[in-house]
Amino acid sequence: MSLKIGIVGLPNVGKSTLFNCLTKAHAEVSNYPFTTINPNLGIVEVPDERLVNISKIMKSQKTIPTTIEFVDIAGLVKGASRGEGLGNKFLANIREVDAIAHVVRCFDSPSVAHVEGVPGPIRDIETVNSELLLSDLATIEKKLSELQRLLKSNDKAAQHQAGVFKKAQEAVGKGSPLSSASWSDEEKSVLGPLFLLTMKPQIIVTNTDEKSFVSGRNGFVKEAESAANTIGAPLVEICSKLEEEILELSKEEAAQYLAEIGIKELRLQELIKTGYKTLDLITFFTGNEKETRAWTATNGTKLVSAAGKIHTDMEKGFISAEVISAEELINMGTYAHAKENGAVRLEGKEYFVKDGDLVYVRFNV
């Protein structure tokens, strides 16, 4: 399944530097607004130690991780919802992603311009989110206007849709992102075709300076944390510049440098894992001598549907599947030992795949 996380924020907050680190790409980075006009795309592997261990146990020739696509989107400015700056293009690009990594500048530097003069995390977060809310409000009001003719004829379907849209309109009018409201699956299906921006889950990514990153959270990060708590978004603190520099080092040099500054590991992997969790995704595995592979599924996916992700024939001819958790397999040491000790279960179509399951599907061709 194709999954996209859009990297958004004001100009000059470090979006493209973060994108470069995540994808080891080389998007243009400079001290000017709108350097990133067209979105840069990069496929990022989801780090998972379980995959590596299963591959060793299976003695696989290949190890294939699951991935997420990150999209580096142009910087937003106040008035984007009215088309200011690259507003229309910016908002259109966000509509195409599944979640938002909202980068917030949490460092002060006279050599890097800030669109408001100085960083202000709460203000900056509110600026971006206000534009998303205003865009959603305009979309909802347009849809309600289109329903007026059907509502006058007492069309029941239109009345139901209008009820859902008005609920969304009320939430947005109060300044609340739609992702923080409670929605039934049926209501989500009504709102889905509108591609509302604040329905997308959001991660606040604070980009700080090296000194603060090493010594502890500065005042800017604490402000951003307060704003993240208000909107119910997880927060990941990074130092893009430091991460970028360390990626240029060898593994040995990087490990030595991290030890010198007292940091166990960098935060890129945390961001990737948080994005995966934010989208309510799980990983399941397949493995044999040829390859061990990680697969992505939405939490709550039935085994027969998971089989279809591996190959459509497996879903069509599904019989059952051998299932064992990665943790159990790793503890047992070999698949044969796990089967001998009853750790491998036989599950049917109605089984819900769990994060970390290793599955071997039985099916008719």
Side-chain angles (χ1 to χ4, degrees):
M1 60 193 293
S2 178
L3 303 162
K4 292 183 180 180
I5 296 181
I7 302 175
V8 307
L10 297 175
N12 295 342
V13 297
K15 299 185 305 299
S16 294
T17 303
L18 172 61
F19 176 83
N20 287 343
C21 294
L22 283 165
T23 63
K24 297 182 181 178
H26 296 285
E28 185 180 359
V29 180
S30 68
N31 183 22
Y32 302 99
F34 311 127
T35 299
T36 306
I37 296 176
N38 296 311
N40 295 298
L41 308 177
I43 304 298
V44 178
E45 296 179 359
V46 177
D48 198 321
E49 193 63 29
R50 298 171 301 181
L51 174 68
V52 177
N53 289 328
I54 293 171
S55 186
K56 289 178 181 177
I57 290 171
M58 295 296 185
K59 296 181 172 58
S60 299
Q61 297 172 23
K62 292 196 298 183
T63 304
I64 305 174
T66 188
T67 60
I68 288 181
E69 186 171 325
F70 278 87
V71 186
D72 180 21
I73 298 173
L76 174 147
V77 294
K78 190 179 294 184
S81 59
R82 301 189 305 274
E84 296 290 336
L86 299 171
N88 293 331
K89 189 175 184 63
F90 172 90
L91 297 171
N93 289 333
I94 295 180
R95 294 189 197 285
E96 298 174 2
V97 302
D98 301 293
I100 296 170
H102 183 168
V103 182
V104 183
R105 179 169 160 178
C106 289
F107 65 91
D108 200 3
S109 172
S111 62
V112 181
H114 189 287
V115 291
E116 296 288 349
V118 295
I122 292 177
R123 176 204 62 213
D124 294 349
I125 290 172
E126 288 179 348
T127 295
V128 172
N129 286 342
S130 292
E131 295 303 324
L132 302 184
L133 286 164
L134 287 169
S135 176
D136 280 353
L137 185 60
T139 299
I140 294 166
E141 290 177 344
K142 180 181 178 182
K143 196 64 179 177
L144 281 169
S145 177
E146 292 172 356
L147 286 175
Q148 288 307 307
R149 182 177 60 81
L150 292 173
L151 289 173
K152 289 178 181 178
S153 64
N154 294 319
D155 185 289
K156 290 185 177 180
Q159 288 175 345
H160 175 66
Q161 289 180 355
V164 177
F165 295 152
K166 286 178 180 177
K167 178 181 174 180
Q169 183 184 41
E170 183 178 355
V172 170
K174 292 178 179 177
S176 300
L178 295 173
S179 61
S180 65
S182 178
W183 303 98
S184 67
D185 290 340
E186 196 279 331
E187 287 174 325
K188 289 178 181 177
S189 69
V190 172
L191 293 173
L194 274 62
F195 297 100
L196 297 167
L197 305 179
T198 66
M199 279 291 283
K200 300 176 187 298
Q202 186 171 158
I203 306 163
I204 298 298
V205 183
T206 57
N207 185 21
T208 188
D209 59 280
E210 183 176 337
K211 182 179 178 181
S212 298
F213 184 75
V214 173
S215 62
R217 290 186 169 178
N218 62 24
F220 289 140
V221 177
K222 291 175 181 177
E223 280 187 41
E225 184 177 32
S226 174
N229 290 337
T230 299
I231 61 175
L235 182 143
V236 177
E237 182 184 2
I238 65 165
C239 175
S240 292
K241 192 65 177 175
L242 177 63
E243 307 253 356
E244 186 178 46
E245 290 172 357
I246 290 179
L247 283 173
E248 299 298 323
L249 303 176
S250 67
K251 287 185 178 180
E252 294 74 18
E253 290 172 329
Q256 181 180 349
Y257 183 63
L258 288 173
E260 288 175 359
I261 63 176
I263 299 295
K264 291 183 179 180
E265 61 180 5
L266 296 178
R267 302 289 171 80
L268 290 178
Q269 290 194 346
E270 181 184 344
L271 175 56
I272 294 168
K273 290 178 180 178
T274 300
Y276 204 69
K277 184 177 180 180
T278 298
L279 291 168
D280 196 25
L281 304 174
I282 63 169
T283 299
F284 69 96
F285 306 98
T286 54
N288 52 37
E289 291 183 359
K290 183 179 178 181
E291 70 174 38
T292 291
R293 183 166 183 164
W295 302 86
T296 299
T298 303
N299 192 18
T301 297
K302 289 186 177 180
L303 183 55
V304 64
S305 298
K309 296 179 183 298
I310 302 169
H311 198 286
T312 53
D313 287 346
M314 289 188 176
E315 183 172 9
K316 292 175 183 176
F318 183 89
I319 301 172
S320 62
E322 295 179 7
V323 180
I324 182 174
S325 72
E327 183 179 3
E328 286 182 293
L329 177 61
I330 293 166
N331 288 337
M332 291 289 181
T334 68
Y335 195 79
H337 187 215
K339 291 191 75 170
E340 289 170 5
N341 285 272
V344 178
R345 313 179 309 276
L346 199 62
E347 300 287 359
K349 291 183 177 181
E350 296 304 309
Y351 174 77
F352 290 97
V353 177
K354 296 180 177 61
D355 183 62
D357 277 349
L358 173 71
V359 304
Y360 179 78
V361 179
R362 299 176 178 178
F363 67 105
N364 288 320
V365 179

